[in-house]
Amino acid sequence: MNNKMMAVLFASGNENKFNDLTIHRTTTSMPFGGRYRLIDFSLSSFVNSGVTRIGIITRNNYSSLMDHIRMGRDWDLNRKNSGIAVFPPFVLNTSKEVYKGKIEALYTILDFIEKAPEDYVIISNGNVAANIDYGKVLENHISSGADLTILCHEAQCVNSSKRVIVAKNEKGTVTDMYSVEVPSSDYKMVSLSIYVVAKEIIMKWIDQAYARGLVDFETDILFKLVPEGKLNAYEIMDYAAIIDDVKTYYAESMRLLDISIREQLFGGARKIFTKVKDSVPTMYGDKALVKNSLIADGCTINGIVENSILFRNVKVAEGAIIKNCIIMEDGVIMDGSQLSYVIADKKVSVKENRELKGFSTYPIVVVKNKTV
Amino acid sequence: MPGNKQCVAMLLAGGQGTRLGVLTKEVAKPAVPFGGKYRIIDFTLSNTINSDIDTIGVLTQYQPFELNQYIGNGQPWDFDRLEGGAFVLPPYQTAKSGEWYKGTANAIYQNINFLDRYSPQYVLILSGDHIYKMNYSKMLKEHISKGADCTIAVLNVPLEEASRFGIMNADKDGRITEFEEKPKKPKSTKASMGIYIFTWAKLKEYLIKDEEDKTSFNDFGKNIIPNMLNDGQKMYTYDFSGYWKDVGTISSLWEANMDLLKPESGLNLYDRSWIIYARNAAEPPHYAGPDSHLFNSVVSEGGEINGEIYNSVISTGVVIEKGAKIFDSVIMPNSIIRAGTEVRHSIIGWGAEILENCKIGEHQLSATAGEWKIAVVGPRTQVSKGTIVAAGEMVGK
């Protein structure tokens, strides 16, 4: 059995950039791809790579996450040994407030890491959608002889969120690392903020950094290690996306309408698991006209749907027109409504003959439970 | 001794289901896919757990592996209990004897030890090949309040169809006076649904007696029920109304699938207070492509739909290529229909692949609508390019 790696997943981050989509949830519990939450991609990648000891560090709004994960059974993580451990916001007696950065957060769970029998730790942000084979990553990490491996992919920096750019030589050794916060259309090697590192090494680093009052894992620890040549970069060639604001959420969702992207994310033996909801298959009525769309189970469709993603149990009445939209679970779009470039959160109702129009770079967000 | 269950369910899943032909060559009938993402057995398993009965024995001797794997620890139906749960019970050897289940009654007889483990007061006998939603706890309540030894669920059927069923003749209180198996001249229209509740002590007595009778067929309908009736035991009917269909034949299996497309059929799976559970396939949402046309159809997850679909049930993980046309058909999980192929009035088995430009269920244009027989392509069968499979034909391994 492959139990060489354990994982620590950060559930929170950038919640303020999702407009109203993260009022009720953490980034990692964002619904994505018609029936998933972002965390499903991380958990499924771990499980499919034999990683079954997973600590999830939360900071705020974590009740929807807890509700989604329950005991981890839907990911085969309800184990006697290992499984999921959720760490609610942890306040150190010495700091008197919720953790400030990754260093402090990791320091609060050093005990969890130390007690685990695994030799390596995956440290991951929860805002990445990708189907990653960590077995291959670990092989690469060990053969590189580096202290830490950074997972990265070639991408544009489409928004103003902080991104870490990595430069590497042909051996994969990281030669430069810096952060940017300016959008640009150039393709760069972008860090996914997922790391693989030996347990003793990460424990030593965190212990020392915390003692010195350092906060930021990237700038205070990793950047300083670049000159020593101790960092390795592993490029994910398949689909990978960092989702950290409404713009990236919308754009990456729409990329799933491309079959080659779906094959990279869902294809093959490494399935993406999610909470099972026992929905019925989707029913298309006599007046349905659906083109280029992803449709989850449990929908009843009798209107026009184009270039859109419908989550589970969405109802589209006859005469409704939905184009370039994302309609989350239990949405009801009534007769004569016209929606384009709309992201409707869970349980949104759009009454008869309403018109909502956003723009591709600025989709309209309708808040959970609201009626238009 | 573990447990002291009020009622334990025993599901008879043993039949070979020969009338389903190639579909039951490798799996038992209850494991045959239904309705896009279900298996036939999901309906009885879900009815059982929804009726608050948490212990069920699934009696099977024909191709038990697939069923065993499907049911597993029973978790998808919430049967993973500390006490009780779902058990697949194939025939087994004991020190003294060991034999196949000779009949439905013998199957229960051979599992007397299993039942006694839970010392139930009542035993619910179910069939694994019916599509319906039913609250057995209401039937149990009636059984208890009437102090019955046996209660048989009955459905009112049209008089002209009554001779196809086991008919219960009962007095005005529902007490059964006569049982006729497939009568030529039915005296009533109350057809047995093959769902029985017995008071366990009484049934056990009759099972042991029946086993001693070497001339017996060891069958509930032929032996146990007539014997109990002859002895004047208290036997009552329980009236069920609602959708119910025996899917033991190709045409009834096809019809039941088609009933999903008609709200007026009464087969409604959208009722969240009576969920039909199934083992989940972990597939992404289905994709309807730019050239797809989906009309009055049911589509499950994981599909890639680029063809035209009319009045059909498309199951989990099905690929329909551009230019393919599906009419009035059931496409079972993970099948592939290649470009230019037309499928009409057919059942396509799971994992089948129909290559380009085939005509499946090709009927003569002179035939009257509704009179075409169902064509069947067996599971994991590949149909080569340009093949014509006539209406009513069955191809496959």
Side-chain angles (χ1 to χ4, degrees), chain A residues 226-265:
Chain A
V226 172
E228 293 176 38
K230 288 290 186 74
L231 302 180
N232 172 48
Y234 180 92
E235 185 181 354
I236 302 286
M237 305 302 287
D238 277 346
Y239 174 82
I242 300 172
I243 292 166
D244 59 2
D245 70 347
V246 172
K247 194 175 168 185
T248 53
Y249 177 76
Y250 182 80
E252 295 300 336
S253 293
M254 289 303 159
R255 283 183 74 194
L256 299 178
L257 295 177
D258 178 345
I259 186 165
S260 68
I261 300 289
R262 285 202 301 285
E263 275 170 358
Q264 291 170 37
L265 194 54

Side-chain angles (χ1 to χ4, degrees), chain A residues 166-184:
Chain A
V166 175
K168 59 174 176 125
N169 63 21
E170 68 281 5
K171 282 193 324 207
T173 309
V174 174
T175 53
D176 194 12
M177 248 180 124
Y178 57 95
S179 44
V180 292
E181 286 183 58
V182 184
S184 109

Side-chain angles (χ1 to χ4, degrees), chain A residues 33 35-36 73 257 262 266 271 276-286 290-297, chain B residues 35 37-38 75 80 269-270 272 277 280 282-290 292 295-299 301 304:
Chain A
R35 70 187 292 250
Y36 304 96
R73 187 167 71 185
L257 295 177
R262 285 202 301 285
F266 302 115
K271 298 273 185 198
V276 171
K277 294 196 174 168
D278 298 292
S279 311
V280 291
T282 280
M283 177 76 206
Y284 288 86
D286 293 351
V290 179
K291 307 279 181 198
N292 190 35
S293 295
L294 269 179
I295 314 286
D297 266 4
Chain B
K37 64 180 289 192
Y38 306 95
Q75 182 266 316
D80 53 335
L269 303 184
Y270 289 84
R272 296 308 281 173
Y277 301 98
N280 207 276
E283 292 285 340
H286 71 262
Y287 173 74
S292 72
F295 181 89
N296 192 39
S297 294
V298 157
V299 184
E301 284 164 331
E304 293 282 336

Side-chain angles (χ1 to χ4, degrees), chain A residues 299-369:
Chain A
C299 298
T300 44
I301 304 176
N302 218 356
I304 295 173
V305 181
E306 275 177 32
N307 313 322
S308 294
I309 296 174
L310 304 191
F311 281 69
R312 287 184 271 208
N313 305 328
V314 170
K315 289 187 174 57
V316 182
E318 185 182 336
I321 301 174
I322 297 174
K323 291 184 178 176
N324 307 303
C325 291
I326 298 169
I327 314 291
M328 292 187 198
E329 210 173 319
D330 296 324
V332 178
I333 314 299
M334 294 190 189
D335 187 10
S337 300
Q338 298 195 22
L339 276 62
S340 69
Y341 299 105
V342 171
I343 301 173
D345 205 332
K346 285 171 84 170
K347 296 192 171 90
V348 161
S349 249
V350 180
K351 295 276 185 205
E352 288 87 350
N353 304 315
R354 304 292 193 274
E355 263 186 58
L356 290 176
K357 280 197 166 69
F359 191 71
S360 63
T361 51
Y362 199 90
I364 296 178
V365 173
V366 184
V367 182
K368 189 174 167 182
N369 292 325

Side-chain angles (χ1 to χ4, degrees), chain A residues 36-57:
Chain A
Y36 304 96
R37 305 281 189 141
L38 274 181
I39 194 170
D40 294 335
F41 298 92
S42 302
L43 293 182
S44 302
S45 295
F46 295 152
V47 168
N48 292 332
S49 310
V51 179
T52 57
R53 187 183 308 278
I54 300 162
I56 300 174
I57 298 180

